[in-house]
């Protein structure tokens, strides 16, 4: 770790285990899940050089450089880049900047994730010097090559390095400067060590009151929809049935038959496929057998296939049914066998058990790339529907890797969702449950599985506070990790009204403190239409936002987003306990005390 090559670099990253050098010589990255970032002895000098470059850009550069070169200097000095690829991506996005509120924003896509900067006043000034009609025609790659001449003339200490290395050195110096001035989570993101996706432009448009173009279906259905009824059945049995697993293999062949397509029509997309009467008859037959003989494992696999048909895979929103059929044929037997060998219901598995199961499946001999892709889609389903923490490192080498996804639901959209629930005209008990679920999710960092596990005793009043204890019992959603057990303070007075009214209703039904919060009044240890409630609440959130990608999980991102942003805005305030780690603990995540975790990066994806 103390080699001369490492010590000559401005920033070094030390891991708990063995380390390896990346192509960029500024960091050493541990192969372990956690990492520890610290400066080397060169960092102060590197940061001082970059500080001089910033001051020069603010003064002499305005008259010394041409508008394109001044723009590059401003972006390098003020927009926070430590990698040349990110710098070039931002420059290429400058012809398409938009003004949002008081900010001039540049957005781009890189490796399927969103990048964005609110441009500084200096960058905006430099950009204004370029004729807009010519801006799109600029080859920023060529301009960046010319910028090395600029650095050779004006960058501090440029005479000590070959001209070809000057841009790399400037970015290394920028990395040291950013390390000294940014919160650690921000630095890890800017230096490329933490994979985050910023909020899409459409989410920012929704914040200003504009709806996104892709409108969700505003009709919330509860009956007469075979797909919806099948999904409700599958989700409820997978979540709420904790019986020992069954070794019957009927579901394996049933699912293969459900998605089978004949030669000549194998190009049909799932949306059209689901509209066929024959397919709905097959689905009805599967559901009939599921009600009579289905186990939680059978239900989980059915829910996965329905998720693929309804929502697509990691990459494809409306895939070919032949693709889904290949996925099902590739892994359904092995996943069915692996889950049944555990002899417990899927709802009892914690994060470690799921990761162990995936490792065993991925370690199989001669595992095809298609099987890897299918397992990645199964993992994506568990993250989306079960609240499992994503583990993308499991699927290195697979063609489909789920990138970090960021989304939030803004306060005015939550208010609109409450209005939609109030006007929901069917089952009044279901309507009240949806309002309580929305109230819980809108103010607390909760997974849908944790919502299902709550009992009446989980909510306790202490003075003016309402405390929410998340401590799932064994054999009933025990939590995805040890950190899943925690206590949250429910402070929103308006939303508490819905919760307190529901508590009164449950106690009036003679429910006891140990009964499920959302229990069936006639079967206290069983949830009441929880699958339908979850599906309908997702539909209402999509109608309220106009964004078909929003789900209950986006509420969790929203709360984390608010807290992380508040932390970043007060980064200069001393805290005896890191606010980032406090947020992680209250979210049910486990972060090493002095590290940034790759495996939890999706929960910080709301930055931006």
């Amino acid at each position: 770790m103390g080699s001369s090559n490492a010590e000559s670099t401005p920033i070094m990253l030390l891991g708990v285990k063995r380390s390896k050098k990346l192509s960029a010589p500024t960091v050493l990255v541990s192969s372990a899940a956690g990492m520890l970032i610290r400066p080397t002895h060169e960092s102060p000098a590197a940061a001082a050089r970059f500080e001089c470059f910033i001051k020069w850009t603010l003064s002499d550069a305005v008259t010394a450089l041409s508008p394109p070169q001044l723009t590059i200097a401003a972006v390098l000095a003020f927009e926070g880049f430590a990698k040349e690829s990110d710098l070039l991506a931002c420059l290429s996005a400058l012809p398409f900047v938009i003004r949002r509120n008081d900010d001039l924003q540049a957005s781009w896509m890189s490796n399927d994730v969103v990048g964005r900067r609110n441009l500084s006043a200096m960058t905006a000034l430099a950009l204004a010097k370029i004729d807009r009609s010519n801006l799109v025609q600029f080859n920023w790659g060529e301009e960046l090559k010319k910028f090395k001449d600029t650095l050779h003339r004006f960058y501090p200490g440029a005479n000590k390095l070959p001209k070809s290395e000057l841009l790399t050195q400037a970015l290394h110096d920028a990395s040291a400067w950013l390390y000294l001035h940014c919160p650690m989570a921000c630095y890890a993101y800017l230096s490329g060590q933490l994979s985050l996706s910023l909020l899409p432009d459409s989410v920012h448009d929704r914040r200003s009151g504009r709806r996104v173009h892709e409108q969700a279906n505003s009709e919330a259905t509860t009956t007469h929809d075979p797909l919806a009824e099948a999904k409700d059945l599958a989700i409820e049995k997978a979540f709420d049935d904790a019986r020992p697993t069954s070794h019957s293999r009927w579901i394996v062949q049933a699912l293969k038959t459900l998605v089978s397509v004949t030669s000549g029509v194998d190009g049909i997309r799932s949306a059209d496929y689901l509209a066929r009467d024959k397919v709905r008859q097959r689905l009805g037959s599967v559901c009939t057998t599921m009600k009579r003989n289905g186990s939680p494992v059978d239900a989980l696999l059915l829910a996965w296939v329905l998720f693929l048909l309804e929502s697509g895979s990691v990459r494809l929103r409306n895939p070919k049914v032949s693709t889904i059929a290949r996925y099902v044929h590739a892994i359904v037997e092995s996943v069915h066998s692996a889950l049944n060998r555990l002899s417990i219901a899927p709802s009892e598995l914690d994060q470690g058990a799921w990761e162990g199961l995936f490792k065993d499946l991925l370690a199989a001999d001669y595992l095809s790339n298609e099987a890897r892709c299918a397992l990645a889609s199964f993992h994506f389903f568990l993250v989306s529907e079960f609240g499992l923490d994503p583990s993308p490192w499991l699927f290195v080498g697979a063609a489909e890797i789920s990138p970090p996804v960021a989304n939030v639901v803004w306060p005015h959209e939550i208010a609109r969702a409450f209005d939609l629930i109030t006007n929901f005209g069917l089952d009044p008990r279901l309507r009240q449950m949806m309002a309580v679920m929305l109230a819980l999710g809108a103010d607390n960092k909760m997974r849908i599985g944790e919502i299902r596990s709550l009992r009446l005793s989980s909510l306790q009043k202490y003075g003016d506070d309402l405390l929410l204890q998340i401590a799932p019992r064994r054999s009933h959603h025990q939590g995805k990790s040890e950190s899943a057990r925690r206590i949250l303070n429910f402070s929103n007075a308006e939303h508490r009204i819905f919760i307190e009214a529901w508590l009164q209703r449950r106690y009036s039904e003679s429910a006891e403190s140990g009964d499920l919060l959302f229990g069936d009044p006639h079967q206290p240890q069983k949830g009441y239409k929880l699958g339908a409630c979850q599906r309908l609440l997702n539909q209402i959130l999509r109608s309220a936002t106009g964004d078909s990608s929003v789900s209950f999980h986006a509420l969790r991102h929203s709360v984390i987003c608010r807290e992380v942003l508040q932390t970043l805005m007060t980064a200069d305030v001393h805290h005896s306990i890191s606010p980032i780690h406090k947020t992680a603990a209250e979210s049910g995540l486990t972060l090493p005390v002095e590290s940034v975790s790759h495996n939890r990066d999706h929960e910080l994806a709301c930055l931006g």
Side-chain angles (χ1 to χ4, degrees):
M1 302 298 286
S3 67
S4 59
N5 186 33
E7 289 299 323
S8 66
T9 60
I11 297 292
M12 186 164 64
L13 192 89
L14 294 180
V16 180
K17 298 182 180 179
R18 65 180 180 85
S19 297
K20 62 181 180 179
K21 206 185 311 181
L22 293 185
S23 58
T26 53
V27 294
L28 293 176
V29 181
S30 167
S31 59
M35 58 179 72
L36 177 66
I37 301 175
R38 73 166 179 85
T40 69
H41 68 271
E42 290 293 325
S43 292
R49 284 194 299 269
F50 196 72
E51 186 81 31
C52 291
F53 175 72
I54 290 174
K55 293 178 180 178
W56 173 81
T57 304
L58 281 170
S59 54
D60 296 345
V62 177
T63 56
L65 300 182
S66 65
Q69 292 290 294
L70 177 61
T71 301
I72 296 176
V75 171
L76 176 61
F78 301 109
E79 307 307 342
F81 290 108
K83 296 167 62 181
E84 184 174 348
S85 59
D86 293 337
L87 176 63
L88 181 58
C90 181
L91 291 170
S92 300
L94 292 180
F96 313 104
V97 295
I98 61 172
R99 185 165 294 280
R100 185 174 279 121
N101 298 325
D102 295 328
D103 298 319
L104 194 65
Q105 290 187 347
S107 300
W108 62 90
M109 291 291 294
S110 178
N111 297 323
D112 294 327
V113 296
V114 178
R116 180 185 295 105
R117 290 293 188 274
N118 289 347
L119 299 181
S120 65
M122 188 64 196
T123 302
L125 176 64
L127 200 58
K129 292 177 173 287
I130 304 176
D131 186 349
R132 279 296 276 230
S133 62
N134 296 328
L135 190 57
V136 179
Q137 302 174 9
F138 267 102
N139 186 328
W140 287 104
E142 290 298 321
E143 288 291 337
L144 206 53
K145 291 179 181 177
K146 297 177 185 177
F147 188 68
K148 294 177 182 179
D149 291 326
T150 299
L151 291 174
H152 186 68
R153 292 169 58 197
F154 300 109
Y155 197 79
N159 59 340
K160 299 179 181 179
L161 286 172
K163 188 184 300 184
S164 60
E165 297 180 15
L166 282 174
L167 181 57
T168 301
Q169 183 61 56
L171 288 166
H172 291 177
D173 293 353
S175 178
W177 189 91
L178 291 168
Y179 172 84
L180 294 178
H181 290 84
C182 293
M184 193 57 66
C186 282
Y187 174 76
Y189 163 66
L190 294 173
S191 62
Q193 306 310 315
L194 189 60
S195 177
L196 306 180
S197 180
L198 304 186
L199 294 175
D201 287 338
S202 59
V203 177
H204 286 280
D205 290 338
R206 285 172 25 216
R207 185 180 189 181
S208 61
R210 286 179 287 177
R211 306 286 288 277
V212 299
H213 296 300
E214 185 180 4
Q215 295 290 333
N217 181 8
S218 60
E219 287 295 322
T221 58
T222 54
T223 58
H224 310 304
D225 183 347
L227 180 63
E229 292 175 353
K231 190 174 182 182
D232 292 348
L233 170 66
I235 291 292
E236 287 178 14
K237 186 174 282 290
F239 267 113
D240 299 326
D241 193 338
R243 294 178 301 148
T245 54
S246 167
H247 294 281
S248 170
R249 297 181 67 258
W250 72 273
I251 191 65
V252 172
Q253 187 56 45
L255 293 179
K256 290 180 179 179
T257 302
L258 178 64
V259 296
S260 65
V261 289
T262 57
S263 178
V265 294
D266 56 354
I268 188 173
R269 300 286 176 175
S270 60
D272 298 323
Y273 182 75
L274 290 169
R276 297 188 169 190
D277 290 337
K278 186 176 181 180
V279 174
R280 295 183 174 235
Q281 290 172 5
R282 291 180 188 171
L283 188 57
S285 175
V286 173
C287 290
T288 299
T289 307
M290 181 69 69
K291 291 177 183 177
R292 185 172 62 249
N293 298 322
S295 71
V297 170
D298 300 336
L300 181 71
L301 292 173
L302 174 59
W304 168 55
V305 174
L306 293 176
F307 178 81
L308 286 176
L309 287 167
E310 183 184 52
S311 305
S313 63
V314 176
R315 291 183 296 113
L316 303 173
R317 295 296 89 193
N318 188 18
K320 294 178 181 179
V321 176
S322 57
T323 301
I324 295 175
R326 289 199 301 272
Y327 281 10
V328 172
H329 280 266
I331 67 166
V332 67
E333 292 192 56
S334 57
V335 172
H336 182 268
S337 299
L339 286 170
N340 278 309
R341 281 197 298 270
L342 299 176
S343 300
I344 55 176
S347 60
E348 296 184 45
L349 301 179
D350 60 15
Q351 182 74 21
W354 278 115
E355 290 183 359
L357 184 142
F358 275 104
K359 285 180 180 178
D360 291 341
L361 290 169
L362 290 166
D365 293 336
Y366 307 111
L367 189 70
S368 68
N369 193 56
E370 190 150 68
R372 281 183 166 273
C373 293
L375 286 171
S377 75
F378 183 60
H379 171 265
F380 181 59
F381 155 71
L382 293 172
V383 171
S384 300
E385 299 290 318
F386 259 51
L388 195 71
D389 288 341
S391 302
W393 53 271
L394 285 167
F395 302 98
V396 174
E400 295 186 33
I401 299 296
S402 175
V405 176
N407 209 333
V408 300
V409 183
W410 303 110
H412 70 277
E413 294 173 331
I414 291 175
R416 186 184 298 145
F418 275 116
D419 290 340
L420 290 173
I421 291 173
T422 301
N423 296 321
F424 187 77
L426 297 178
D427 186 340
R429 182 184 183 85
L430 209 56
R431 180 174 65 233
Q432 193 172 1
M433 283 174 56
M434 285 191 289
V436 175
M437 281 191 181
L438 180 57
L440 291 170
D443 293 290
N444 288 286
K445 302 169 282 290
M446 302 188 69
R447 300 179 177 91
I448 188 64
E450 293 169 337
I451 290 279
R452 290 168 166 271
S453 72
L454 294 177
R455 298 177 184 271
L456 291 170
S457 58
S458 301
L459 290 160
Q460 298 288 338
K461 291 187 70 173
Y462 288 90
D464 295 331
D465 295 328
L466 182 65
L467 297 186
L468 178 63
Q469 183 181 20
I470 302 177
R473 299 181 182 182
R474 179 76 179 170
S475 301
H476 205 290
H477 322 309
Q478 63 176 337
K480 302 305 176 189
S481 65
E482 293 182 2
S483 56
R485 290 161 173 77
R486 59 203 191 277
I487 296 177
L488 303 174
N489 190 335
F490 195 94
S491 57
N492 189 304
E494 293 182 3
H495 295 172
R496 279 178 57 175
I497 296 174
F498 295 103
I499 298 173
E500 291 170 353
W502 178 253
L503 289 173
Q504 292 178 4
R505 174 170 186 159
R506 291 291 286 130
Y507 283 121
S508 70
E509 295 171 343
S510 300
E512 298 180 355
S513 61
D515 292 344
L516 289 171
L517 180 64
F518 297 111
D520 189 310
H522 306 295
Q523 302 178 71
Q525 297 304 314
K526 181 180 178 182
Y528 179 81
K529 297 184 179 179
L530 288 174
C533 189
Q534 175 183 344
R535 173 176 56 82
L536 293 170
L537 182 55
N538 285 342
Q539 287 185 13
I540 283 173
L541 287 170
R542 289 162 189 161
S543 296
T545 61
D547 187 343
S548 62
S549 67
V550 168
S551 66
F552 183 89
H553 196 69
L555 298 175
R556 172 178 167 86
H557 278 203
S558 304
V559 181
I560 294 174
C561 177
R562 292 198 300 267
E563 294 188 3
V564 170
L565 288 177
Q566 183 179 5
T567 297
L568 298 179
M569 294 297 291
T570 58
D572 57 339
V573 178
H574 173 73
H575 299 277
S576 57
I577 298 176
S578 166
I580 293 289
H581 286 84
K582 179 176 180 292
T583 295
E586 291 178 350
S587 304
L589 303 172
T590 303
L591 288 176
V593 175
E594 294 183 313
S595 69
V596 178
S597 169
H598 280 303
N599 295 341
R600 314 302 184 207
D601 57 11
H602 83 300
E603 296 296 1
L604 299 180
C606 307
L607 293 172

